[in-house]
Amino acid sequence: MKKFYVFTLLLLLLITQSSFGQDGKKYTINDIIVTGNTSFNASTIITYSRLKKGQEVSFGGDKIGEAVKKLWGSNLFSAIDIYFINITEDDKVDIEIKLSDLPELNEAKVQGVKKGKVDEILEENNLKQRVKVTENLVTTTKNYLTNKYKKKGFLNTKVNVITSDVKNDSIEKKRVNMLINIDKGNKVKIKSISFNGNNKLSDKKLRKAMKNTKQKSLSPLRLLKRSKYVEEDYKDDLVSLVDKYKENGYRDARVIKDSIIYNDDKTISLLIDVEEGEKYTFGKIDFVGNTVYTDDFLSQILRIEEGDTYNGVELKKRIANDEKPDGIDLTNIYQNTGYMFSTINPVEVSADGNVIDLEIRITEGKPAYFNSVKVKGNDITNDHVIYREIRTRPGELYSRANIIRTIRELGQLGFFNAQAIVPDIKNPNPVDGTLDIEYTVEEQGSSQIELQGGYGGGGFIGTLGLSFNNFSLRNILNGEAYKPVPRGDGQSLSLRLQASQFFQTYSFSFSEPWLGGKKPFQLSTSISHSRQFLFDPITRRADKSRRFNITGITFGISTRLKEPDDYFLFSQALSYQHYDLQNYNTGLFTFGNGSSNNLSYTIGLTRNNTYNDPIYPTGGSNFSASAKLSIPYSLFNGVDYGALKTERDGLDPITDSDRIAEIDQERFKWLEFYKIKFKADWYAEVAKKLVLRPSVEFGFLGAYNNDRGVIPFERFFLGGDGLGNFALDGREIIQLRGYPNQSLSTQDGGSIYNKFSLELRYPITLGQGAKIYALSFVEAGSSVNSFRDFDPFNLQRSAGLGVRIFMPAFGLLGIDFGKPFDPLPGQNQVGGWETHFIIGQQF
């Protein structure tokens, strides 16, 4: 429309010039007036046109043409006319500029899509109030939305854009409303995918190479794979198709053309014509320009031999694997040893006889060193907490591996949105061999509050928990630092209170991950106290005179090792628990009055190189092994436990209960045991963001002295959601979904357990406010009391689905639905589905 107006205006000017001013006669502007349907100030229009009183102009001259272009370029008018009026004998003229304003957008509505998509559509097309509505805007909006939904598989999308004047408008400007009606229709399914020209690779192999574009199939294995056409995925799959040929030696293979055939049943068929070319093999491979590494070393990294089938895809990965930024390839070998400015290019020097000789041409450049290292975005966390985790220091040699490791370490802190950590390399100088780097972080809530209330165990149970994971102890007396608590130094502090009429539990813990601030040496401590009251069947309330108290304290230290690598963490802990029974006769102990003590030393070794988000790791592994050991008192305390065992075995539990209580008091006065545990998790991204997590666990509780026996504490209880309400005896609750809580162990718990698990996870959102992912699982495990009964393959199995929601303020929440495949121990019938609620468990 604009072009039409410009053409008309120029044509009129030419006709006028031809009729009245063929000699190019010049006139002096006497006055300039602005007329027409415009809301703009006349002086503003005149100034913008650059026409001035006293200026000489002519019909069709440059100044008039420039004025038109200037006004038209403002995109504010639908029509522009310039007239010469009131021409006098002394060649003076008045200029009339007649304008019509473009209408402004008053309101835009979108129909045919979900409400949540409306704002996105308006923003993408810049449909805001007061935007000038042109024919181009209407056409562009229509075309954009049509293509947008066609790319998503809605090939029959129809978009209609209607504008209407605002009636009875009190504003003088011309305004219009816009109605966008989107009819997406249904996604079009692919009936068939056919190929022409393929003699070397079958249709089946080529279809398999197309990961996201599939034809309709009735196979049960294909139920979860879509057969709907999506243009973007289809184009990517055409590239994958050619890559499949390149992987098999056909380096010249290409797609000649592809066609979409619309069928009568509203499906489409894809017809792809390929040209395969000849099959090639690798010939001689020479390295050129390398001085840092030898040819033999680079050949070991490249791992391609003369005579191998040519594989262009693998060759590219061996030189630089974009899918694995920390992989072992030629580029990383140089990038991880300082040669940031190095370039590596494979060049074919010969292809005679379908044998490709290559030169790997390397430009090493100068070693690069970090000059400036900065961090921005840490509004809460103090600089020293971040800088101590950074592996790229000023003056140190450049290393891509250290940049990747830094991103992982910052993400593992839990203080920042792991998905938003960005390293920005600035001022790279290949001449001086220097560069700057700036890490951008985005703070997220790291403190959590737990506030629960519920009815169970005969009464109301209340829980209050506070966890501050970026605490600052040094500012605890600084009133200005309470926002709402002192934060920023990376320390952890937690308080937890839980109570009902039958029990009370209080706990406090604190940890400093960098004691002294120079090395990753962690100091941690925790204190807890629990009180349990017996149920009085007469009053049906808790009897406060019959109680069982446990008081415990733990001190622990851990340090990061350098060998075999610095992912290893070595930890030690010393803990003490005192058990005090007052008129508390239950099955837990044979004595109702007395005490027991547990002094133990725990040593552990862990290796965690998962990355990058601790809530949703996409790679790496996490191994842990620990041994908890008590002092072997029976070696030196002079008690004959063999005689006590013989005597106890000969006593009657009813008539000799007092003597049994005395013997057991002696046996459990100081607990004697050792406890071994092992756990391993792996994470692998099997497809984009789709993560597979295998896991294995094992635990064993043993005794130094068989006459003394395995203690009734510290045992394993297998089954259910893995959550313990309160544990008086140091028990460990092991999750195995699909079965009731603690149902796969005996009433007193097991001394041995093993468990295998396999989870498949997919994220719904990994935003800062909430991270949500869905999962499916299969798992199996068993729990027994002795090695005679232990069979690692005699397992209770289950499978199911679940979802996890992590919110910084509340921690991890989730729900699982599990179906068992085996009956409970001692039963013959397999149970039904179990629902498990997950609160605050490990990820």
Side-chain angles (χ1 to χ4, degrees):
M1 186 69 76
K2 287 184 176 182
K3 290 181 179 178
F4 172 75
Y5 284 133
V6 173
F7 175 77
T8 303
L9 178 61
L10 293 178
L11 183 62
L12 288 172
L13 289 173
L14 288 173
I15 292 173
T16 305
Q17 182 183 26
S18 176
S19 303
F20 305 102
Q22 293 181 359
D23 56 354
K25 186 175 181 178
K26 294 185 178 181
Y27 299 89
T28 302
I29 299 177
N30 180 54
D31 195 11
I32 304 173
I33 60 174
V34 178
T35 63
N37 181 20
T38 180
S39 60
F40 292 96
N41 184 274
S43 61
T44 302
I45 298 295
I46 294 169
T47 301
Y48 197 76
S49 72
R50 294 184 179 175
L51 295 175
K52 302 177 182 177
K53 292 181 180 181
Q55 194 175 45
E56 288 189 343
V57 295
S58 61
F59 290 105
D62 292 340
K63 289 186 173 58
I64 298 298
E66 289 174 1
V68 172
K69 290 180 181 179
K70 186 72 175 175
L71 292 170
W72 200 257
S74 68
N75 291 318
L76 298 172
F77 309 106
S78 62
I80 302 172
D81 296 306
I82 296 182
Y83 299 100
F84 281 39
I85 61 175
N86 303 327
I87 300 176
T88 64
E89 293 181 356
D90 55 353
D91 297 330
K92 290 187 178 181
V93 67
D94 293 340
I95 300 296
E96 179 185 356
I97 304 176
K98 187 176 181 181
L99 303 173
S100 292
D101 288 352
L102 281 171
E104 289 185 353
L105 181 63
N106 175 54
E107 183 182 28
K109 293 183 178 180
V110 183
Q111 295 179 346
V113 297
K114 294 180 179 179
K115 290 183 179 180
K117 296 292 183 181
V118 171
D119 290 341
E120 177 184 317
I121 289 173
L122 297 179
E123 184 175 347
E124 289 174 345
N125 291 276
N126 194 31
L127 300 177
K128 303 176 181 178
Q129 273 194 333
R130 302 184 67 181
V131 167
K132 296 295 182 180
V133 180
T134 65
E135 290 294 326
N136 182 57
L137 177 65
V138 172
T139 302
T140 301
T141 300
K142 181 177 180 179
N143 292 339
Y144 173 82
L145 292 174
T146 301
N147 291 329
K148 174 187 175 80
Y149 288 104
K150 280 187 175 182
K151 288 179 180 179
K152 292 184 177 182
F154 299 96
L155 294 187
N156 298 319
T157 297
K158 295 179 180 178
V159 179
N160 190 22
V161 181
I162 302 172
T163 59
S164 58
D165 294 337
V166 177
K167 297 180 179 180
N168 302 322
D169 197 353
S170 59
I171 299 177
E172 294 183 359
K173 294 181 180 180
K174 183 179 181 181
R175 301 193 300 166
V176 296
N177 293 326
M178 181 181 291
L179 176 63
I180 304 172
N181 186 35
I182 302 173
D183 182 8
K184 296 187 296 184
N186 295 320
K187 281 190 175 181
V188 177
K189 292 190 175 183
I190 303 169
K191 186 175 185 178
S192 63
I193 303 176
S194 304
F195 301 91
N196 287 330
N198 58 313
N199 298 314
K200 309 300 183 183
L201 298 182
S202 66
D203 286 12
K204 184 178 180 180
K205 279 190 175 181
L206 295 180
R207 291 191 195 102
K208 189 175 181 180
M210 303 175 73
K211 301 297 184 183
N212 298 309
T213 307
K214 302 293 183 181
Q215 66 182 18
K216 291 174 64 176
S217 173
L218 298 178
S219 169
L221 299 177
R222 282 285 320 281
L223 292 178
L224 297 178
K225 293 184 178 181
R226 62 183 180 182
S227 61
K228 296 174 181 177
Y229 176 84
V230 178
E231 182 180 350
E232 185 176 350
D233 291 342
Y234 176 56
K235 288 181 178 180
D236 290 341
D237 280 334
L238 290 180
V239 176
S240 300
L241 193 69
V242 175
D243 285 345
K244 186 66 177 178
Y245 272 104
K246 290 182 178 180
E247 290 173 358
N248 288 272
Y250 300 94
R251 67 148 193 183
D252 298 328
R254 62 193 181 100
V255 174
I256 301 174
K257 68 175 182 177
D258 61 287
S259 307
I260 298 177
I261 302 170
Y262 291 85
N263 303 312
D264 294 337
D265 59 357
K266 296 183 179 181
T267 62
I268 62 171
S269 295
L270 300 178
L271 181 60
I272 303 171
D273 292 351
V274 298
E275 183 178 88
E276 295 178 320
E278 299 292 329
K279 187 172 183 177
Y280 291 80
T281 58
F282 283 110
K284 293 181 179 180
I285 301 177
D286 296 322
F287 294 93
V288 179
N290 54 305
T291 61
V292 179
Y293 298 108
T294 65
D295 290 0
D296 289 341
F297 177 78
L298 296 178
S299 294
Q300 292 175 12
I301 301 299
L302 189 63
R303 304 189 306 281
I304 295 176
E305 302 292 337
E306 184 175 353
D308 289 351
T309 298
Y310 178 83
N311 187 335
V313 175
E314 194 62 29
L315 174 64
K316 182 180 178 181
K317 290 182 179 180
R318 300 285 173 84
I319 292 174
N321 191 345
D322 295 333
E323 297 176 1
K324 294 183 178 180
D326 58 346
I328 300 176
D329 54 54
L330 294 179
T331 298
N332 275 343
I333 290 298
Y334 276 94
Q335 292 282 316
N336 291 339
T337 53
Y339 292 90
M340 174 189 173
F341 305 108
S342 61
T343 58
I344 303 175
N345 296 305
V347 179
E348 295 182 8
V349 295
S350 174
D352 295 340
N354 292 348
V355 177
I356 299 176
D357 294 335
L358 292 174
E359 280 187 357
I360 309 295
R361 297 178 181 175
I362 301 173
T363 303
E364 295 176 333
K366 293 180 64 174
Y369 293 85
F370 291 106
N371 181 36
S372 171
V373 180
K374 296 181 179 180
V375 178
K376 70 175 183 178
N378 55 314
D379 302 323
I380 298 173
T381 307
N382 293 320
D383 286 347
H384 73 273
V385 175
I386 300 175
Y387 282 108
R388 68 193 185 191
E389 302 292 345
I390 289 178
R391 301 301 180 98
T392 55
R393 305 295 178 90
E396 290 186 351
L397 202 61
Y398 169 84
S399 170
R400 178 190 287 180
N402 285 342
I403 294 176
I404 295 172
R405 181 69 184 274
T406 296
I407 295 172
R408 176 199 174 273
E409 296 297 337
L410 294 179
Q412 290 289 321
L413 288 174
F415 308 151
F416 312 110
N417 180 4
Q419 308 296 323
I421 300 174
V422 178
D424 185 11
I425 293 178
K426 297 183 174 182
N427 306 319
N429 190 329
V431 177
D432 296 337
T434 59
L435 70 147
D436 300 331
I437 188 168
E438 183 177 72
Y439 295 95
T440 301
V441 298
E442 184 180 288
E443 296 271 9
Q444 68 177 12
S446 55
S447 299
Q448 299 171 9
I449 182 170
E450 179 185 4
L451 185 60
Q452 299 179 27
Y455 190 85
F460 179 81
I461 302 174
T463 302
L464 173 63
L466 299 173
S467 297
F468 307 109
N469 296 319
N470 194 4
F471 192 70
S472 176
L473 184 63
R474 64 188 175 94
N475 287 317
I476 198 167
L477 298 179
N478 182 3
E480 296 180 356
Y482 281 79
K483 299 178 182 179
V485 294
R487 295 181 293 169
D489 281 345
Q491 299 159 342
S492 296
L493 184 146
S494 65
L495 297 165
R496 195 169 190 270
L497 312 175
Q498 189 175 41
S500 73
Q501 66 165 315
F502 294 102
F503 73 92
Q504 299 169 3
T505 301
Y506 315 92
S507 64
F508 166 85
S509 65
F510 174 80
S511 68
E512 164 58 72
W514 283 66
L515 186 64
K518 295 183 178 180
K519 293 182 179 180
F521 185 87
Q522 177 172 299
L523 172 67
S524 59
T525 182
S526 64
I527 301 173
S528 64
H529 180 70
S530 299
R531 304 178 70 190
Q532 171 76 14
F533 306 105
L534 270 183
F535 173 72
D536 188 332
I538 298 177
T539 63
R540 305 193 63 81
R541 297 184 60 83
D543 186 348
K544 298 295 179 71
S545 66
R546 306 172 68 186
R547 60 183 181 270
F548 179 19
N549 300 334
I550 304 177
T551 302
I553 185 170
T554 300
F555 291 98
I557 57 173
S558 64
T559 185
R560 187 180 297 163
L561 303 181
K562 294 182 178 180
E563 299 293 340
D565 59 45
D566 59 1
Y567 289 109
F568 280 90
L569 192 70
F570 178 69
S571 61
Q572 302 175 79
L574 186 65
S575 59
Y576 171 75
Q577 288 85 35
H578 177 71
Y579 306 91
D580 181 34
L581 290 85
Q582 297 185 20
N583 197 23
Y584 193 90
N585 296 96
T586 67
L588 182 62
F589 294 104
T590 56
F591 53 93
N593 290 284
S595 65
S596 185
N597 302 278
N598 183 357
L599 178 63
S600 60
Y601 167 72
T602 302
I603 183 172
L605 186 67
T606 64
R607 184 182 189 274
N608 182 1
N609 71 334
T610 57
Y611 55 87
N612 284 323
D613 193 335
I615 310 301
Y616 193 81
T618 56
S621 59
N622 188 358
F623 294 84
S624 65
S626 66
K628 189 174 184 180
L629 313 168
S630 72
I631 298 174
Y633 303 103
S634 58
L635 291 179
F636 54 80
N637 64 3
V639 178
D640 188 348
Y641 290 102
L644 289 177
K645 182 178 184 301
T646 301
E647 180 185 357
R648 192 184 190 287
D649 291 343
L651 297 175
D652 184 274
I654 299 177
T655 59
D656 300 320
S657 59
D658 290 342
R659 179 53 185 162
I660 291 176
E662 291 176 1
I663 293 174
D664 286 349
Q665 169 69 89
E666 182 63 39
R667 290 173 62 204
F668 301 135
K669 186 174 183 179
W670 286 94
L671 299 182
E672 184 180 278
F673 68 95
Y674 64 93
K675 189 176 188 178
I676 308 297
K677 293 192 300 178
F678 172 80
K679 184 177 180 181
D681 299 318
W682 296 266
Y683 299 88
E685 193 170 15
V686 295
K688 188 175 182 180
K689 295 185 180 180
L690 183 66
V691 175
L692 184 68
R693 177 199 176 226
S695 177
V696 60
E697 298 180 44
F698 172 79
F700 173 67
L701 178 66
Y704 301 124
N705 189 326
N706 290 330
D707 291 330
R708 199 170 187 184
V710 177
I711 62 173
F713 301 92
E714 301 284 343
R715 292 185 171 241
F716 306 109
F717 290 79
L718 182 66
D721 52 31
L723 299 178
N725 196 11
F726 60 94
L728 299 176
D729 50 2
R731 67 178 60 188
E732 294 192 39
I733 312 299
I734 311 300
Q735 180 191 72
L736 204 156
R737 293 159 288 188
Y739 295 91
N741 287 349
Q742 306 178 32
S743 61
L744 301 181
S745 300
T746 62
Q747 183 177 355
D748 296 329
S751 59
I752 305 173
Y753 90 94
N754 67 321
K755 176 191 167 185
F756 306 94
S757 179
L758 190 66
E759 277 190 2
L760 193 62
R761 301 175 170 184
Y762 189 79
I764 299 171
T765 177
L766 295 176
Q768 180 182 5
K771 302 179 192 292
I772 305 174
Y773 63 88
L775 62 89
S776 60
F777 66 87
V778 290
E779 52 190 14
S782 67
S783 173
V784 294
N785 285 317
S786 69
F787 266 118
R788 291 192 303 270
D789 303 323
F790 180 65
D791 182 352
F793 303 106
N794 182 17
L795 307 170
Q796 270 79 30
R797 302 160 298 168
S798 66
L801 304 168
V803 66
R804 296 290 183 274
I805 303 174
F806 179 85
M807 292 183 289
F810 299 99
L812 187 72
L813 307 173
I815 185 171
D816 289 332
F817 303 95
K819 178 68 174 68
F821 295 152
D822 300 288
L824 293 174
Q827 298 184 12
N828 297 320
Q829 189 174 356
V830 178
W833 285 86
E834 289 280 338
T835 301
H836 306 288
F837 294 96
I838 309 299
I839 302 174
Q841 248 183 354
Q842 290 187 347
F843 316 120

